[in-house]
Amino acid sequence: MAKRNLYIVRNEGTSPVCITTKDTGYCIEGGQSIPLSMEELIYLNGTTPVFRNGLLFFDREEEEAIYDELKIHNWKDILHNSDIENLILHPTYDGLRKIIGIESISYFERIRGVHVGLINAGVDINNKVSAVIAERQKEFRNQKIKSAIVLSKTEPVEAPSAAEVAAMSEQIARLQAMVENLSKASSAPQKKAEPSVASVPAAKKETDDAVAKKPAAKKTATKKPSAPKAKN
Amino acid sequence: MTYTEIAELAGSINVYELACKTIDKAEFSEDEATAVASLDDWAREIGRTGLDKNHEIAAFITRALNDEIYNAPDELLDLMFERGTIGEDDDGEGYSSPKNTLIAYEAAHGGNVDRSFIDVSVFTPKVRNRQIETDLSFKELRTSGWKSVAILTEYAIAQLKNQMFVDVLNAIDQIITNGAENYIAEATAVPTATSMDKLALYLLDRAQAGQGVIIARSAYIQAASKLAGFASNNMKDAVNRQGFLGEYDGCLMKPVSAAIKLGNGSIVMPDDRLFGIAGKIGTLDMKGEVHVYESEDINNEKIHLKIADFTYSYAFNSTTAENMAKIVTA
């Protein structure tokens, strides 16, 4: 273990955290830190979830050794305030699962605190994240420790690579050439049917115009009587 | 028993008190005993015939509700809020006494300094409306008579009041978030001397002695009462006799029983929380009057009761929220 006897314990939040060791109690104000001995840390970790909930953290250089000594093996999963901010601002499936998976009220209140702080700062937050946090809070209020919130995973659509785009555009070019060839080959018999094909859209246009009764309908000769009507 | 006699009875006695006494099997005074006897006959008659001609049951519950909810003091909520009533169709608006943000600048004689301002903020109240619907069977009326009406009345009033308390406390809980000065994180599962001192100091800084209130589940108040260190003999005696101390550092301590539950089984006082309130934090108004509707359902042999329009509005905002604090235990 480290050579020093005392280890810095830091309150990264802005609310006070009150701890009681074997002999005395401390109230660590927001952003402040106090030195504690390893015995005190072991006692605190044994009687409270204060380190596991991320209410208090250690110095970055010595945290690994201390967490090891306290037998908190998943210490990398404990969310710092900056992590929480990141989870809220850049939500992912796994990130939201982490928020939903929290089973301690004091831990969850940290998430809610950061969330409210961001809203008060005027940051644009994804509605779904806010909904998940509100819903989870409702569950805590109803003493539901294990969450029943179900998230559905959406697979992101991957953008095609440059090679795929090139292959596709080549394919389209080939198809275009093929269609042109086909239309050239079949142009002679199509000519006969042309007048009837053209008359259909024209007739349709007339009925459309009659319904709309717009002055623009003047264009067609048949529409002339109805045009002044529209003006009236 | 005629209609006028029942109406006279309801006018001369406190019907809610009578209902409570009936349930608790307390002793009646002479007047009350005669009242209960007549009411019993009246209720059994409804059970026999299935006819409540003038909707007396509904009128009875209405009277008890209005007596109890709009006129009786409610200790905890009265400590926390300015109570009042507003009409059913009226609207309310809250004002907070503004923070003193005037600045006294150092100035040269005859010169001017920057102006400073105070901000009077307006807040709109949140209105909630609660309603209970239930059935009272003819069989029940025949068997238990007046007592069945008394139980229904007392239970309905208790649930409506508890629900209002829960709604208000949840709103307070919601407004105090981690990151603020008034959010105190307690590492252990019960309040300790450190966190209680912190909370009491926060309240004392903002209220006169005796005006700060700490409200929590009885388990937490018990733990706070038994903190070792500076207990005098008087304090020890008080704890031994009553289980709780009435005060902590000049702040009243009000335990809320963990046995009080809402109809759906949830507990009235949230777990893991101690709330501190320094003086009045806002307004809580009862809106309009409760209406009780009733219809006899002969086919199903019961009376359908609808206790509606229990409407209240509460108002506090972030400025008044500074006068509240909470400890969250782990």
Side-chain angles (χ1 to χ4, degrees):
Chain A
M1 223 14 239
K3 284 158 203 150
R4 274 162 45 211
N5 294 331
L6 295 173
Y7 304 92
I8 299 294
V9 173
R10 175 166 294 131
N11 174 6
E12 284 189 356
T14 43
S15 287
V17 175
C18 297
I19 53 171
T20 309
T21 62
K22 229 178 216 171
D23 313 308
T24 179
Y26 304 97
C27 200
I28 312 173
E29 293 290 340
Q32 287 189 348
S33 49
I34 57 162
L36 290 176
S37 69
M38 185 45 81
E39 283 76 40
E40 284 177 308
L41 292 185
I42 290 172
Y43 178 85
L44 262 179
N45 187 45
T47 52
T48 74
V50 73
F51 300 123
R52 277 163 280 151
N53 281 352
L55 283 169
L56 297 175
F57 285 103
F58 308 108
D59 264 356
R60 291 273 183 186
E61 309 91 69
E62 48 191 26
E63 61 180 354
E64 189 166 358
I66 299 173
Y67 281 125
D68 242 20
E69 186 72 22
L70 297 177
K71 299 193 171 49
I72 300 174
H73 300 303
N74 63 341
W75 62 273
K76 278 182 181 155
D77 293 338
I78 300 171
L79 300 170
H80 289 259
N81 276 15
S82 51
D83 298 332
I84 297 172
E85 215 166 283
N86 199 28
L87 283 186
I88 293 171
L89 292 179
H90 310 288
T92 58
Y93 177 79
D94 293 328
L96 286 181
R97 293 262 355 130
K98 262 187 193 173
I99 291 178
I100 292 171
I102 290 171
E103 291 178 5
S104 150
I105 289 181
S106 56
Y107 198 164
F108 184 75
E109 282 276 1
R110 286 184 55 223
I111 309 266
R112 203 169 74 85
V114 173
H115 181 238
V116 171
L118 286 171
I119 289 173
N120 288 348
V123 180
D124 194 17
I125 292 171
N126 188 317
N127 281 346
K128 278 181 190 164
V129 179
S130 300
V132 163
I133 291 175
E135 193 57 36
R136 185 76 187 108
Q137 200 201 355
K138 225 181 263 174
E139 287 190 332
F140 271 117
R141 199 170 285 155
N142 296 329
Q143 311 271 310
K144 205 180 255 182
I145 303 300
K146 293 256 186 232
S147 176
I149 300 171
V150 180
L151 294 177
S152 51
K153 205 169 186 172
T154 48
E155 292 292 342
V157 184
E158 274 182 37
S161 66
E164 278 174 327
V165 172
M168 271 192 281
S169 46
E170 197 184 314
Q171 213 172 6
I172 290 168
R174 269 209 315 255
L175 282 170
Q176 237 165 3
M178 214 187 280
V179 170
E180 265 168 40
N181 284 342
L182 276 174
S183 63
K184 266 182 202 167
S186 59
S187 58
Q190 281 280 315
K191 260 186 182 173
K192 240 187 177 179
E194 219 169 37
S196 64
V197 170
S199 68
V200 173
K204 194 172 183 285
K205 204 182 174 192
E206 271 178 30
T207 51
D208 281 353
D209 287 343
V211 170
K213 286 187 178 175
K214 277 181 185 168
K218 271 190 265 178
K219 265 189 238 165
T220 47
T222 48
K223 268 296 28 151
K224 261 188 179 170
S226 72
K229 227 183 201 180
K231 272 181 184 170
N232 295 336
Chain B
M1 185 105 202
T2 60
Y3 172 63
T4 39
E5 276 173 288
I6 286 283
E8 262 172 36
L9 265 180
S12 60
I13 51 172
N14 184 335
V15 284
Y16 176 69
E17 207 179 303
L18 197 65
C20 290
K21 274 189 171 177
T22 311
I23 293 163
D24 296 342
K25 297 193 175 80
E27 250 182 60
F28 295 121
S29 70
E30 210 171 294
D31 282 355
E32 284 167 345
T34 30
V36 165
S38 347
L39 285 168
D40 209 35
D41 288 344
W42 159 73
R44 279 173 211 276
E45 184 59 27
I46 296 174
R48 269 193 291 277
T49 58
L51 177 68
D52 185 5
K53 200 172 138 203
N54 290 308
H55 286 189
E56 287 282 291
I57 295 179
F60 205 88
I61 297 174
T62 311
R63 204 189 135 77
L65 265 166
N66 288 335
D67 264 0
E68 175 58 16
I69 289 167
Y70 299 96
N71 304 327
D74 187 335
E75 195 189 19
L76 278 181
L77 291 175
D78 285 357
L79 278 170
M80 290 150 64
F81 292 98
E82 301 281 358
R83 300 294 298 271
T85 50
I86 52 173
E88 190 177 357
D89 301 319
D90 291 347
D91 204 355
E93 204 174 52
Y95 293 92
S96 62
S97 49
K99 270 190 213 168
N100 190 347
T101 44
L102 296 178
I103 303 167
Y105 290 101
E106 179 140 38
H109 287 294
N112 287 107
V113 294
D114 287 343
R115 275 189 285 175
S116 50
F117 305 92
I118 49 174
D119 174 27
V120 184
S121 54
V122 178
F123 40 88
T124 38
K126 172 127 181 117
V127 180
R128 309 287 295 250
N129 182 36
R130 293 277 178 182
Q131 183 169 320
I132 292 176
E133 286 191 41
T134 186
D135 289 333
L136 188 58
S137 72
F138 295 156
K139 169 87 172 67
E140 181 68 21
L141 276 166
R142 281 197 302 273
T143 322
S144 311
W146 147 246
K147 201 179 167 191
S148 58
V149 180
I151 287 178
L152 196 73
T153 309
E154 209 261 323
Y155 282 13
I157 291 173
Q159 285 303 336
L160 289 171
K161 283 173 104 180
N162 287 344
Q163 191 61 58
M164 178 165 77
F165 188 71
V166 168
D167 285 343
V168 169
L169 267 193
N170 280 343
I172 292 176
D173 189 24
Q174 184 81 18
I175 207 168
I176 309 172
T177 51
N178 189 328
E181 196 194 350
N182 52 359
Y183 178 102
I184 301 162
E186 166 59 54
T188 55
V190 287
T192 56
T194 328
S195 52
M196 283 302 286
D197 283 355
K198 184 88 190 154
L199 178 65
L201 182 64
Y202 187 91
L203 299 181
L204 289 173
D205 278 347
R206 286 160 181 79
Q208 312 260 318
Q211 274 190 353
V213 199
I214 297 168
I215 302 167
R217 271 206 201 173
S218 46
Y220 299 128
I221 300 293
Q222 184 189 40
S225 302
K226 290 184 178 174
L227 291 172
F230 50 90
S232 67
N233 283 338
N234 280 348
M235 286 159 84
K236 283 179 189 162
D237 283 349
V239 171
N240 277 325
R241 288 207 191 92
Q242 289 132 29
F244 310 109
L245 284 180
E247 276 182 82
Y248 188 96
D249 279 6
C251 297
L252 298 174
M253 288 203 290
K254 298 284 179 193
V256 177
S257 164
I260 302 177
K261 289 182 183 173
L262 293 181
N264 60 9
S266 63
I267 295 162
V268 166
M269 195 70 203
D271 207 0
D272 300 313
R273 305 270 198 286
L274 283 92
F275 294 101
I277 313 284
K280 309 269 175 170
I281 52 166
T283 58
L284 175 62
D285 292 327
M286 299 307 304
K287 204 166 189 294
E289 269 190 351
V290 172
H291 299 115
V292 184
Y293 305 109
E294 172 187 344
S295 75
E296 295 102 341
D297 184 352
I298 303 296
N299 286 324
N300 294 311
E301 297 188 15
K302 62 193 179 191
I303 289 173
H304 182 79
L305 285 163
K306 180 169 172 174
I307 304 166
D309 301 327
F310 182 79
T311 314
Y312 47 94
S313 68
Y314 50 83
F316 44 84
N317 70 352
S318 49
T319 312
T320 51
E322 280 179 15
N323 290 343
M324 328 172 197
K326 72 173 173 185
I327 297 179
V328 177
T329 61

Coordinates of all heavy atoms in Angstrom, one line a residue, chain B residues 22 65 73 135 156 189 199 201 232 260 272 275 278 296 324 326:
Chain B
T22 N -67.2 6.9 17.4 CA -67.9 5.6 17.1 C -66.8 4.6 16.8 O -66.9 3.4 17.3 CB -68.9 5.8 16.0 OG1 -69.7 6.9 16.2 CG2 -69.7 4.5 15.8
L65 N -66.9 16.3 6.1 CA -65.7 16.7 5.3 C -65.4 18.1 5.5 O -64.3 18.6 5.7 CB -65.9 16.3 3.9 CG -65.3 15.0 3.4 CD1 -65.9 14.7 2.0 CD2 -63.8 15.0 3.3
P73 N -57.7 22.7 12.3 CA -56.3 23.0 12.1 C -55.6 21.7 11.7 O -56.0 20.6 12.2 CB -55.8 23.5 13.4 CG -56.8 23.0 14.4 CD -58.1 22.8 13.7
D135 N -68.6 2.2 -2.7 CA -69.9 1.6 -2.6 C -70.2 1.3 -1.1 O -69.3 1.0 -0.4 CB -70.1 0.3 -3.4 CG -70.1 0.6 -4.9 OD1 -70.5 1.6 -5.3 OD2 -69.7 -0.3 -5.6
A156 N -62.6 8.2 4.4 CA -62.5 9.1 3.3 C -61.7 10.3 3.6 O -60.8 10.8 2.9 CB -63.9 9.4 2.8
A189 N -27.4 5.2 7.2 CA -28.8 5.0 7.0 C -29.7 5.8 7.9 O -30.9 5.9 7.6 CB -29.1 3.5 7.1
L199 N -28.4 20.5 9.3 CA -29.8 20.8 8.9 C -30.3 21.9 9.9 O -30.9 22.9 9.5 CB -30.6 19.6 9.0 CG -32.1 19.7 8.7 CD1 -32.3 20.2 7.3 CD2 -32.9 18.4 9.0
L201 N -28.7 24.0 11.7 CA -28.1 25.3 11.5 C -28.7 26.0 10.3 O -28.9 27.2 10.3 CB -26.6 25.1 11.3 CG -25.8 26.4 11.1 CD1 -25.9 27.3 12.4 CD2 -24.3 26.1 10.8
S232 N -29.1 15.9 28.3 CA -29.3 16.2 29.7 C -30.3 15.2 30.3 O -30.8 14.4 29.6 CB -30.0 17.6 29.9 OG -31.3 17.6 29.4
I260 N -48.8 4.9 8.9 CA -49.9 5.5 8.2 C -49.7 5.3 6.7 O -48.6 5.6 6.1 CB -49.9 7.1 8.4 CG1 -50.0 7.4 9.9 CG2 -51.0 7.7 7.6 CD1 -50.0 8.8 10.2
D272 N -35.9 7.5 3.6 CA -34.6 8.1 3.3 C -34.6 9.6 3.3 O -33.7 10.2 2.7 CB -34.0 7.5 2.0 CG -33.8 6.0 2.0 OD1 -33.3 5.5 3.0 OD2 -34.2 5.4 1.1
F275 N -37.0 16.2 6.2 CA -37.3 17.6 5.6 C -37.2 18.6 6.7 O -37.6 18.4 7.8 CB -38.7 17.6 5.0 CG -38.8 16.7 3.8 CD1 -39.5 15.5 3.9 CD2 -38.3 17.1 2.6 CE1 -39.6 14.7 2.8 CE2 -38.4 16.3 1.5 CZ -39.1 15.1 1.6
A278 N -38.1 26.1 7.3 CA -37.8 27.3 8.1 C -39.0 28.3 7.9 O -39.0 29.0 6.9 CB -36.5 27.9 7.8
E296 N -78.7 5.2 -5.5 CA -79.0 3.9 -5.0 C -79.0 2.9 -6.2 O -79.5 3.3 -7.2 CB -80.4 3.8 -4.3 CG -80.5 4.6 -3.1 CD -81.2 5.9 -3.3 OE1 -81.3 6.4 -4.5 OE2 -81.7 6.5 -2.3
M324 N -36.3 25.7 2.7 CA -36.4 24.2 3.0 C -35.1 23.6 2.8 O -34.2 24.0 2.1 CB -37.4 23.6 2.0 CG -38.5 24.4 1.4 SD -39.3 23.5 0.2 CE -40.2 24.8 -0.7
K326 N -33.3 19.3 3.0 CA -33.5 17.9 3.3 C -32.2 17.2 3.5 O -31.2 17.5 2.9 CB -34.4 17.3 2.2 CG -33.7 17.0 0.9 CD -34.6 16.2 -0.1 CE -34.0 16.1 -1.5 NZ -34.8 15.5 -2.4

